[in-house]
Amino acid sequence: MRIVVLLCALIGCVCPAQAGSFWAADVSNDAINLYDSVGGLMDSLPIGFQAGAIEYSDITDKLYFGRYNGGTSSDNGVWSMNSDGTGLTQIFTATGTARSVGLDPVNGYVFADIQSGADDGIWRMELDGSNPVKIDDTFVSLSIGALKPDPLTQTLYIGDWTGGNVLKSMDYAGGSQTTVLSGLDGNLHEIDLDPINGKLYMASNG
């Protein structure tokens, strides 16, 4: 697999949407916004808190995200919402915030890093939040900046801020944990994947 590292300063979590547009958290207005390719606002969907990582599935036409800040502790966990703003649903309730969320709609999984509390760790669940399983609790709390599953190999890639800022991987059951790349310049905030061409893209704040 060829790995391309993109170093940049990120000010928000963004996610590709339909062709020529993308989703981003609006932390000032507790909403998720849809922008066109040049940053023009197309839509704003209020959610009542600040979203962390956002994932969009064109298979389900839903957004998946976790509470990063704002709201109350009862908003912790993982949420889903239709792309038109309807159907806002807390699919997984947890003791801590879910800053990092990864989506594999092909195999029907959502991954989330719950930060703090009894639920601290990486979780796997189905797209509706059912059958949640904690697959790993070995990472330092608040240390994970990004999650990205590969639906072809069923490998989960993890941006770990501890130990010199590294990219790690594990299988969907939490096994076969491997350091893919180490000594990165800055914390990994975003990971994207092109499984067809075997490329992995990352963005850090270094």
Side-chain angles (χ1 to χ4, degrees):
M1 174 173 288
R2 179 184 173 193
I3 300 174
V4 181
V5 182
L6 305 177
L7 301 180
C8 64
L10 297 180
I11 58 174
C13 297
V14 300
C15 170
Q18 299 86 354
S21 60
F22 62 92
W23 298 99
D26 181 350
V27 297
S28 299
N29 298 301
D30 291 347
I32 295 176
N33 292 348
L34 179 65
Y35 297 91
D36 62 26
S37 59
V38 294
L41 181 63
M42 299 172 63
D43 201 358
S44 183
L45 310 177
I47 58 173
F49 53 85
Q50 297 175 13
I54 303 165
E55 293 288 332
Y56 170 72
S57 168
D58 56 3
I59 296 176
T60 63
D61 195 31
K62 287 180 180 289
L63 296 160
Y64 298 83
F65 51 91
R67 168 184 174 262
Y68 178 62
N69 209 344
T72 68
S73 59
S74 64
D75 298 322
N76 286 341
V78 182
W79 293 73
S80 70
M81 177 173 62
N82 298 323
S83 65
D84 63 359
T86 62
L88 179 64
T89 304
Q90 188 176 26
I91 64 171
F92 178 63
T93 303
T95 58
T97 58
R99 180 168 59 185
S100 301
V101 175
L103 181 64
D104 175 0
V106 176
N107 294 295
Y109 291 125
V110 181
F111 296 86
D113 171 42
I114 303 301
Q115 302 186 353
S116 76
D119 296 328
D120 189 284
I122 299 175
W123 290 75
R124 187 196 71 228
M125 64 201 72
E126 297 181 23
L127 295 179
D128 61 358
S130 61
N131 299 316
V133 178
K134 184 189 288 191
I135 62 172
D136 186 89
D137 60 2
T138 62
F139 289 86
V140 177
S141 183
L142 306 177
S143 70
I144 295 178
L147 298 174
K148 192 67 177 182
D150 181 344
L152 296 184
T153 63
Q154 296 197 28
T155 298
L156 180 65
Y157 292 93
I158 304 144
D160 182 11
W161 293 0
T162 60
N165 300 315
V166 299
L167 175 69
K168 293 184 178 180
S169 68
M170 64 174 63
D171 62 38
Y172 278 12
S176 303
Q177 189 174 133
T178 303
T179 296
V180 180
L181 196 63
S182 61
L184 299 173
D185 184 12
N187 296 331
L188 284 176
H189 285 268
E190 296 285 345
I191 303 172
D192 209 349
L193 183 69
D194 177 0
I196 303 300
N197 294 299
K199 295 181 180 179
L200 193 65
Y201 298 87
M202 297 171 288
S204 79
N205 63 354

